[in-house]
Each structure stands twice: as structure tokens, then as C-alpha cells.
Amino acid sequence: MSLNNMLIRISPNKRCFVYKDGTPFFWLGDTQWELFRLFSMDDVETILENRKNKGFTAIQIMFTGVGDGTKPNIDGQTPWINNDPAKPNEAYFKRVDQVIELALKKGIIIVPGVFHQLQVSLITLNNARNYAKWLAQRYKDFPNIIWSMYPKAEMGYLPVVRELAIGLQDGDEGLHLISVHPDPSVTSSSFIHSESWLAFNIIQPWLYHERIYQMVTYDYNLVPTKPTVMAEAGYEGAGFRKKIQNPHDIRKQAYWSYLAGGHHSYGNDKNYTDPSSLKTWIDSPGSFHVGVYKDIITSCNEWWNWIPDQSIFADGENSGLDLNVSARSANGDWIMAYLSTNTSVSIRMDQITAGTKIQAIWINPINGERTLIGEYENTDIQSFKTPDDWDDAVLLLKSI
């Protein structure tokens, strides 16, 4: 991948992302909120290389770290002199420069947050435009940037968000995409869907990840069509209604996002609550499993032209945390179903319209291993039972 080609654009079908030359870009994000602030450059190198090797393509970071922007980095430098966004601290942002440049060399997109609702008393209508313009001018020549911001999903925040968007567009002449990562959960940037500068939507279900499919589906059906990214749900290792989020939970979130028509970001609780424990979380099982998820999706012919379709299930769709989800290719040559538990489903085989024969395959979402089930006609309804010792499964049906 040429570094000059890394500029991200919206795809012609308005559902996903492409590189500058039109090559499809698979969004597999990671939340590394404190990567600019609380890690040495050696640790940054370790994290970025690890994520690259696992297939991550986008890293979500807060410019000033978690909080109101007044906390120093590991070198004792705060983002702004005297906590004034009109006076950016060059020593702080030199470290940011290094991280973004390193990510560029590794082919990773950086999604920096320029504003958080906790900064509302510091980044205001009076200074937001100029501050955002300064950031955009500084990073204009980095192609691996997508701008984000973190207001509350309330119309009262829209004036400052608009000022930030104007500043970003002024500073880089509209070169980079802009989105909004609303906070707190459960919410979506689609509360301002009609804003012309909002290139794509971001949803944050956080603890309520059984809402992922519903929320992505809602945004998927909005007009005008825009991509949707599920950018922050249950963190691996974090508590969720008295239950720790395990790798199975992480896999569910990823497939619910994609098969609803959206894109997905992973997160581990410790990367911002306990950065010094890097060695304990960097290779957590879920971080491998989402890489497998990416490999499975991108192995499908024209994976970027997929259509969510729950009518594929004649029986066994289920609901809530046991929801099974499905999608089909626009060309009619494959169906993918994610079965979130050990279960049985019945599939309408005539949803594959290319050819007359269908090959059915089980794919293990933990390691990507494939098991041939058999061959079928693309007529009638066929029942499938997940392998006995699997917690979840991917069912791939493709024409042959």
C-alpha cells in the first residue's frame, strides 16, 4: 500500500470505505484512547505493530487523552499552555506527530478525537474553530487521518460541533473525512445525520451491546445513505451487568455490526484504565478473534457489496444476546450467517440466486478453520445444527 494512497474516502455505494485509488478499506478499529499521552514510543511501536499484525486498520485515540484535556503526558507536558486551547503546547504535540507518523508507516489509519464533552468549558464557541483549524493544518499532509469528536448526543452541542467541523475543513481544505462519536451511550451520531460534513455515522452502545444490530439497522436505512461504524461497545475484560466481557461476547459484537450493514471497532478495558499492564492485555483472546472475523469477511467475493437480510432465516433467528444474524451478497453468490450460540437454524436456500448448487461450510470464529458440510440445491429450506462443542459459528453458503 502506497503511503500516498492511504487517504480514506466513502465508497460508491455509500456503505463502506475505500482508499484513494478505490480499493476497499476494511474498518477494523481499536480503541486506544491514551496512545498519544500515556505510552512511551517503544510501547507505541509495540502496540501498533501488534495491531497491524492482527489485521487492525484504524486506531481511535483522544488527542488529549481521557478527561478534560488538562492532564499531562508521560513527559509532564500538557496539551495546552495554561489549559488554553488557543495556546497549543508544541512539546506535547511533537509526541502526537511521532505516533501518527509511525502509524502511517505501518499502514494504519488514526481516528483522533478533537473534542470531548468533558472539555465543553475549555473548547467553546469562541475558540473551537481556530483550535480545530490549527489541528487540521498541522496534520493536513498525513493521509492516515479521519477526524472525530465526542459531544453529548444533544442538539445543544451542535453549535460547537459545527464550529469544529468548519475549522477542520478550513484547516485541511476538506481533505479528511469527519464524523462524530457521541457520548455517553446509548446513542448515534445520526441525531445530526443531515449535516453535510458528517461523512459517516458512529454508534456507541457500550454496555448495551444487544442494541448493536438494532442501532446499525436504523442508521443503515437513513437517507442520505452513509456508512455506520460501531465504534464502542463492551470492552474485553470489562464488567457488563455483573458479567465480565469474554471473547465470545467480543465475537458477537463484531458479527452483529457487519451483518447489520456496519463496521466494527474492538476495545480492551485495560488499555486506558491500566496502561502500564500492557503485557496482560495486548494479546487478549478477543483481539485475535476480531482479526479472524476480518479474514472471514474479506474472504467473501465482493464483501463490500453485502446486504443485511434476516429473512434468510426461515426459523431460528432468536433475539437479544442470542441473536443470530445474516447477510447475502449483492451478486447473489453467497450467504453468511453468524449463529451466536450453539443452536439450530433453518435457511431459505433460494436467497442464493447465482447458479444451482450451494456449498455449505462451517467456519470456526475463533481460529477460522473450515469444515465442509455438504452440497445442496438452491431451493427450499435447509436446517443446520452448529458443531456440538462450539459456542458460536459462522455458516457460509456459496454458489459453486
Side-chain angles (χ1 to χ4, degrees), residues 241-348:
R241 300 176 193 170
K242 300 182 180 180
K243 178 181 181 296
I244 300 298
Q245 294 293 277
N246 61 40
H248 185 191
D249 299 315
I250 296 303
R251 298 193 298 273
K252 287 181 181 181
Q253 294 172 33
Y255 289 96
W256 287 340
S257 297
Y258 176 78
L259 293 173
H263 309 269
H264 184 74
S265 290
Y266 160 87
N268 187 293
D269 185 57
K270 295 297 184 183
N271 70 54
Y272 72 99
T273 61
D274 188 12
S276 63
S277 65
L278 171 64
K279 292 182 179 180
T280 69
W281 55 259
I282 193 168
D283 282 326
S284 55
S287 68
F288 286 99
H289 297 178
V290 292
V292 173
Y293 146 83
K294 177 190 175 186
D295 290 342
I296 292 172
I297 300 298
T298 57
S299 72
C300 293
N301 182 45
E302 294 190 11
W303 57 265
W304 56 91
N305 283 326
W306 78 117
I307 301 172
D309 189 352
Q310 290 297 83
S311 74
I312 288 168
F313 293 110
D315 186 54
E317 179 181 354
N318 293 340
S319 61
L321 294 172
D322 294 333
L323 178 67
N324 300 319
V325 291
S326 60
R328 54 186 169 83
S329 71
N331 295 330
D333 59 347
W334 57 263
I335 286 173
M336 179 177 290
Y338 172 71
L339 310 183
S340 64
T341 62
N342 193 284
T343 189
S344 296
V345 295
S346 296
I347 301 294
R348 301 183 195 278

Side-chain angles (χ1 to χ4, degrees), residues 125-246:
L125 281 174
N126 293 328
N127 62 25
R129 184 181 301 194
N130 285 337
Y131 174 56
K133 183 176 181 178
W134 180 85
L135 287 171
Q137 287 177 329
R138 186 179 185 96
Y139 299 107
K140 177 181 177 180
D141 294 332
F142 285 92
N144 61 324
I145 293 284
I146 295 176
W147 302 116
S148 184
M149 54 190 92
Y150 295 72
K152 286 186 178 180
E154 299 174 359
M155 296 307 292
Y157 280 77
L158 185 53
V160 71
V161 165
R162 281 177 171 160
E163 286 294 298
L164 289 163
I166 292 170
L168 292 172
Q169 291 178 315
D170 285 350
D172 70 6
E173 299 177 2
L175 191 63
H176 301 100
L177 301 180
I178 305 174
S179 191
V180 166
H181 184 136
D183 193 63
S185 62
V186 176
T187 190
S188 169
S189 63
S190 60
F191 82 101
I192 53 170
H193 184 79
S194 61
E195 293 290 306
S196 60
W197 51 265
L198 186 74
F200 61 96
N201 282 313
I202 289 176
I203 68 168
Q204 185 194 171
W206 197 43
L207 295 181
Y208 300 91
H209 62 251
E210 76 276 13
R211 298 275 300 275
I212 289 173
Y213 193 88
Q214 168 199 352
M215 294 177 73
V216 174
T217 299
Y218 178 85
D219 286 359
Y220 182 91
N221 290 314
L222 291 175
V223 177
T225 300
K226 295 181 180 182
T228 295
V229 175
M230 197 304 298
E232 189 178 6
Y235 291 92
E236 185 172 14
F240 169 67
R241 300 176 193 170
K242 300 182 180 180
K243 178 181 181 296
I244 300 298
Q245 294 293 277
N246 61 40

